Amino acid sequence: MSEFKQTFNSSLGKKLIMALTGLFLCTFLIVHLGGNLLLFSDDDGYGFNMYANFLTHFPPIEVVAYLLYLCILVHAVYSLILTIQNRKARPVSYAAVNKSRASWSSKNMGLLGSILLLFIVIHMSDFWFSYKYSHKIGFKEYRTDLATGKTTSVDYVPASADFEKSASTENNIEIVRVKDLHARVASSFSNLLYVVFYVIAMGAVAFHLLHGFQSAFRTLGWVHRKYTPVVCFIGTWLFAVIIPLGFAAMPVVYYIQSLNK
Amino acid sequence: MSTNNNMNLTLKVWRQKNAETRGAFVTYKAEGISPDMSFLEMLDVVNESLIHKQDEPIHFDHDCREGICGMCSLYINGHPHGPKNAITTCQLHMRTFHDGETIVIEPWRAAAFPVIKDLAVDRSAFDRIQQAGGFVSVNTGGVPDANEIAIPKVIADEAFNSATCIGCGACVAACKNASAMLFVSAKVTQLGMLPQGQPERYSRVQAMVAQMDAEGFGSCTNTGACEAECPKEIKMTNISRMNNDYFSAKLFREEAMHEHAASGE
Amino acid sequence: MSLLDAKIPAGPLAEKWSKHKFNLKLVNPANKRKYDIIVVGTGLAGASAAASLAELGYNVKAFCFQDSPRRAHSIAAQGGINAAKNYQNDGDSVYRLFYDTIKGGDYRAREGNVYRLAEVSVNIIDQCVAQGVPFAREYGGLLDNRSFGGSQVSRTFYARGQTGQQLLLGAYSALNRQIHLGKVKMYTRSEMLDVVIADGHAKGIVTRNLINGNIDTHTGHAVLLCTGGYGNVFYLSTNAAGSNVTAAWRAHKRGAFFANPCYTQIHPTCIPVTGDHQSKLTLMSESLRNDGRVWAPKTVEIAEQLRKGTIKADQVKEDDRDYFLERKYPSFGNLVPRDVASRNAKEMVDDKRGVGASGFAVFLDFADAIHRLGKDAVAAKYGNLFDMYYQITDEDPYKQPMRIYPAVHYTMGGLWVDYNLSTNIPGLYALGECNFSDHGANRLGASALMQGLADGYFVIPYTLGDYLATIGPKPVDAKHPAFEKTKQDTINLINTLLSMKGTKTVNEYHRDLGHIMWEYCGMARTEEGLTKAKGLIKALREDFWKNAIVVGANEEVNASLEKAGRVADFLELGELMVDDALMRRESCGGHFRLESQTPEGEALRDDDNFAFVAAWEYKGDNQPEVLNKEILDFEFVHLTQRSYK
Ligand SMILES: Cc1cc2nc3c(=O)[nH]c(=O)nc-3n(C[C@H](O)[C@H](O)[C@H](O)COP(=O)(O)OP(=O)(O)OC[C@H]3O[C@@H](n4cnc5c(N)ncnc54)[C@H](O)[C@@H]3O)c2cc1C
Ligand code: HEM
Ligand code: SF4
Ligand code: FES
């Protein structure tokens, strides 16, 4: 056991933890983005709300979610430990700014990560926490005519305080009542400041992962003449461009839509 | 060949009496500097004039003055070994600078490299890391004929690339974390790639990393500043190779674990 | 004057060493740890000796003045290391290596020593490969070789242009292993300033800690000096800035004989001097002569235009070029030994056919090689040297030929040692370039690395045991008055130096000395010039003690003080070199007396009168040194006029 402890207390061990947690977070980003794309479907939030409900109520996903929170925590704590150690390794700093060739993002992982942490806290308390533990979010009732396939929706006020979700079929009409996170999202994204913060945070994701994704592979010791360029390609295009753009597009689109209302 | 395009420069130099006292920048004029001089020869000129005034010369480490001993250091205008790539300070020539320029000269900065005097630092941490395991345990005599082990040329060449490290410490100086990973990994990789280094491959990496950590170097964020400043162009690939060996040793290789346990570490 | 006995074992050449090894006394393994051995210097000779002795079980204390043993100047050797492996099947053998070395040294080396060197050369390569030294290899995975000056076989093992570095890092790793095991105690940034002789035996040294100025004494049953060469007496040389003669010289002043001081090697292919500011000269490895062709313009007029820069080298027509080495030495061509190549370059310059702004250079041209092999192949072989040249001169050698000129490179002279590497003081040994060694009057390329490692790995581990077994393992008496006395002498010298507050810097004295040595005791020497030099050096030395400036205090890092001590020693050594050169009224190898040359201008030996090693004995300050001779017996080779035609 002490062998194990020693491994993870070494500088390389700590980096291993950073890399593994970081990569886990990366896989989550893909799933998360996939779900969020439902925001773009023109169904008055039906799909999105069902997805949100699924995420919070399907037990295996809940387990993964807790793992995810743990990863964020561990990643953040280890980044703090490493940053402190790295500062200690250079007690007197240079007078002339270092001009060595190295990417900006690689030199600012701590700053970018801190923005991310702030974002995650706000983001989670706004949506996840309110969704799960507060009564601030209303409900919606979707009625789908199974003959025509048309869906209409109205706000719904549940009778009991611990109502979560219901689904039934009456006269060939499917009635689904779920928490209306979608409305909450739409209202949040009509606030310009909020949207700007989101976009900045996604910029931070982009730069954090522009360096971080390929860096994790280096840390793990996986470099290869053939595959490392592939990793860099994925890191750049998927994680530093497509994913952040996808996430940032939602608040922007919702904001523009809110202007037209 | 003394040209009339000689330069006048302003130097801001870190002066510090010894490890215990605090240092500060002192400004000097370097006048009539020929572009053909090396950077150290420029400092020689300044020092000669200081000695003529019975002042103490600026102390800096140097020896071979041809880029191979690794003794010279100097952090010049934000770059270890100055602004040019793939050379040491002693190979830097004044033609790189222009007349009237101000040059800021600092020692390597790292907790593991305490200042000895002015611009000279103590790099014995590097020696201790090598002592921890940077060798193949063979005694003199009793070894097989040199051509008994054939080594593919690509492997030999790659090991050679790693072996060219001169132990100057520019990688540490350049790294925002003052990490010594490039230096350590260069040795680990050289021996780890060659057949001669196999028997101790996994114990070596553990011992050297442990010593590196004990010396108080920072960790690696893979920024690549080390690679950019290394006068011998040692590649960061070495770092990944070392990580791989280290994790194999620690997490997967049973024999390495036994060995480690046996050595009582 | 007395005759010296080199203790060369009798018998057939090939059996001398093995018989000798058998006759040497052994130290009981259990007793080895009762002996302390001091090794000064951690270059190839020192590091290999320290590691090997520690492996045997002795306690070793090793010293160097740099911040790490890895930085000894052996690190700078570029071209390669010879060994009679005959891997190329081109007719090499131990005997041929022996013969080439004796001949290359112009018959001024000992047969016994040189044969042993050739014999153990093969073990060196095995040892280094086992340590992980990445020598160049062929596609089949086996070791590659290149040819070097003075031989017609390919026996030089190399690691690109960084052979010395790789060999030293190998020896350094062996040393590190012993440091780790606690068998070697390493003292870095420590300068040995004197050797302690107690009751006629070397029993310790006095050192100055270069960080805090502490003057310490260290005891040992034997002291090994592995402190490198003294080429820096010329101020400009290919040696490192810190290379010095202090350790050897102070031992000399305590009684160790100094042999053949005037034998200096001037290396033909160095980057020429650009100005007064120059602090060192950079070697361009001799291996370049494998593919580079040396030439000078045929006429003074063309040379003039090249000097002014009105035309460039590649514009000189083939017919206007004089490939003088190929012309004069058709069979060896560009690969003649160093002394020959250097003298010929000097001749061109004296003939006003030199090139470069100063006129002190000839060309080393790769155009043919690039044409024949392709730029990539040339880059793979010499890339780092080309880069080095470019950094220094700002000229691209892929496009224009290199400008080269000879520079001081190696000193064949050094402390006199017998076959056991023992100086005339019992317990005091000298290894590597520090001893007067096996190279006679001229060292062949790639032989110094071989000799340093032979001494350290394969000779001293045997011969030292014999002495140690004789004196027995009782602890060295640290209270012997010699320790305190020697320490006090050192402190007095330091105080004298620190009190010097004159007007001229130590470096200026050094540069002046260098000018004198280069002018009168360099590539061509005459009775008249040498006599003049003697007076000049004497005057310079007297002036030094009156007018030099040394700043700072002892109790701190003080480069000014370090340098002052070293220059003081060079000022004395310089005079001895001149004396030696004056005494040796013949030309041999690197020692070229204008009065003694063949009609073709080659070095003309005088074997009847000068086939001896000149071992000089110190007799006190300002006293003339006394010459002791060791007669060189040649039983196996026939002395001939060297010819590389
Ligand atoms: C540029 C260059 C290229 C060369 N190329 C080749 C080549 O290709 N092939 C070849 O065979 N030879 C070559 N040589 C020659 C060869 O490198 C040297 O002769 C050889 O390496 C000397 O080794 P050494 O161990 O005797 O001394 P060095 O390596 O010079 O070591 C001297 C040691 O002594 C220590 N020391 C000195 N004085 C003191 C003191 N007072 N107190 C404490 N420590 C002291 C130093 O710190 C150092 O550790 C070359 C030489 C030069 C300069
Ligand atoms: C909680 C907020 C976060 C903080 C404070 C943070 C901080 C950091 C820091 C400082 C590093 C560099 C560590 C080092 O090299 O020593 C890093 C690396 C990394 N981070 Fe984050 N991060 C955070 C969130 C994230 C998120 C959300 C992701 C992914 C979606 C992520 C992915 C990565 C990756 C892949 C690395 C590279 C690991 C390596 O260098 O081996 N991080 N993080
Ligand atoms: S890796 Fe490069 S920068 Fe670091 S010590 Fe070695 S040569 Fe210097
Ligand atoms: S002085 Fe040796 S590398 Fe610069």
Side-chain angles (χ1 to χ4, degrees), chain C residues 8 112 152 159 175 191 299 317 394 417 438 504 577 584:
Chain C
I8 301 189
Q152 287 171 316
L175 177 67
E191 184 168 27
T299 67
K317 283 201 290 291
D394 208 23
V417 291
D438 307 343
K504 192 166 157 181
M577 288 171 71
R584 193 167 281 279

Side-chain angles (χ1 to χ4, degrees), chain C residues 289-307:
Chain C
R289 284 198 275 142
N290 268 311
D291 288 304
R293 299 177 69 196
V294 179
W295 64 274
K298 270 195 181 144
T299 67
V300 178
E301 292 70 45
I302 298 175
E304 190 88 358
Q305 286 172 311
L306 283 164
R307 286 198 285 271

Side-chain angles (χ1 to χ4, degrees), chain C residues 78-82 146-158 267 285-290 332 335-336 338 443-447:
Chain C
Q78 301 172 349
I81 176 167
N82 288 333
R146 54 166 58 143
S147 7
F148 246 60
S151 90
Q152 287 171 316
V153 294
S154 270
R155 64 159 76 95
T156 304
F157 294 79
Y158 66 101
H267 195 291
S285 166
E286 172 159 322
S287 60
L288 291 171
R289 284 198 275 142
N290 268 311
F332 278 70
L335 286 176
V336 291
R338 293 174 174 176
R443 173 176 72 79
L444 289 184
S447 290

Side-chain angles (χ1 to χ4, degrees), chain B residues 1-2 17 34 36-38 41 44-45 48 51-52 54-57 59 61-66 68-71 84-85 87 91 93 95 116-117 120-124 126-127 130-132 134-141 143-147 149-153 156-157 159-161 163-168 183 187 190-191 194 196, chain C residues 52 55 65-71 73 75-76 78 85 87 125-127 129-132 134-135 137-143 159-160 162 165-166 169 172-173 176-177 179-180 189 211 238-243 274 277-282 357 388 390-394 457-458 501-505 507-508 549 551-552 556-557 559-560:
Chain B
M1 216 207 289
S2 75
K17 199 158 177 53
S34 150
D36 287 332
M37 284 181 190
S38 72
E41 284 166 352
D44 289 344
V45 170
E48 287 286 284
I51 295 175
H52 271 294
Q54 308 274 356
D55 282 339
E56 278 207 38
H59 190 73
D61 270 333
H62 66 104
D63 199 26
C64 74
R65 295 202 172 198
E66 56 182 76
I68 192 73
C69 73
M71 186 105 177
K84 289 188 92 174
N85 282 344
I87 54 167
Q91 292 175 298
H93 279 68
R95 59 180 86 92
I116 289 178
K117 182 177 184 175
V121 298
D122 178 358
R123 285 168 290 195
S124 50
F126 271 13
D127 285 323
Q130 301 278 31
Q131 284 156 19
F135 45 76
V136 175
S137 297
V138 287
N139 284 351
T140 305
V143 296
D145 183 89
N147 257 352
I149 335 166
I151 304 175
K153 186 167 160 58
D157 285 350
F160 188 93
N161 289 339
T164 56
C165 164
I166 56 174
C168 62
F183 166 80
K187 195 71 195 174
Q190 179 207 336
L191 297 178
L194 295 172
Q196 301 93 306
Chain C
S52 304
E55 284 161 14
F65 66 76
Q66 291 95 342
D67 69 337
S68 162
R70 68 179 290 155
R71 307 210 200 279
H73 197 52
I75 201 93
Q78 301 172 349
K85 281 282 196 188
Y87 281 160
I125 302 304
D126 299 342
Q127 188 65 34
V129 166
Q131 288 166 345
F135 282 119
R137 285 174 186 270
E138 290 165 346
Y139 283 99
L142 300 182
L143 292 164
R160 290 191 202 152
Q162 287 122 283
Q165 178 195 29
Q166 294 310 321
L169 292 182
Y172 164 74
S173 71
N176 277 337
R177 177 167 158 248
I179 295 173
H180 186 63
R189 293 199 198 259
I211 293 179
T238 62
N239 285 5
S243 300
T274 55
H277 56 260
Q278 195 121 2
S279 60
K280 83 152 275 157
L281 293 172
T282 304
M388 209 162 166
Y390 173 71
Q391 290 306 338
I392 293 174
T393 62
D394 208 23
Y457 284 134
F458 297 112
K501 298 284 177 252
T503 54
K504 192 166 157 181
T505 68
N507 205 43
E508 286 162 342
I549 322 171
V551 295
E556 57 177 0
V557 178
S560 165

Side-chain angles (χ1 to χ4, degrees), chain B residues 3 19 37 74 83 125 163 172 187 192 226 248:
Chain B
T3 37
M37 284 181 190
L74 306 192
V172 176
K187 195 71 195 174
C226 52
S248 301

Side-chain angles (χ1 to χ4, degrees), chain A residues 174-220:
Chain A
E174 189 196 52
I175 304 170
V176 179
R177 297 174 180 133
V178 290
K179 259 191 184 172
D180 191 6
L181 185 64
H182 178 256
R184 169 80 191 206
V185 170
S187 89
S188 293
F189 287 170
S190 63
N191 177 343
L192 182 61
L193 271 179
Y194 206 88
V195 171
V196 169
F197 174 63
Y198 251 72
V199 172
I200 292 178
M202 290 312 114
V205 169
F207 284 106
H208 195 76
L209 296 186
L210 180 64
H211 176 69
F213 186 71
Q214 55 90 30
S215 170
F217 283 80
R218 288 183 180 277
T219 300
L220 294 171

Side-chain angles (χ1 to χ4, degrees), chain C residues 46-58:
Chain C
S48 58
S52 304
L53 291 170
E55 284 161 14
L56 289 174
Y58 300 111

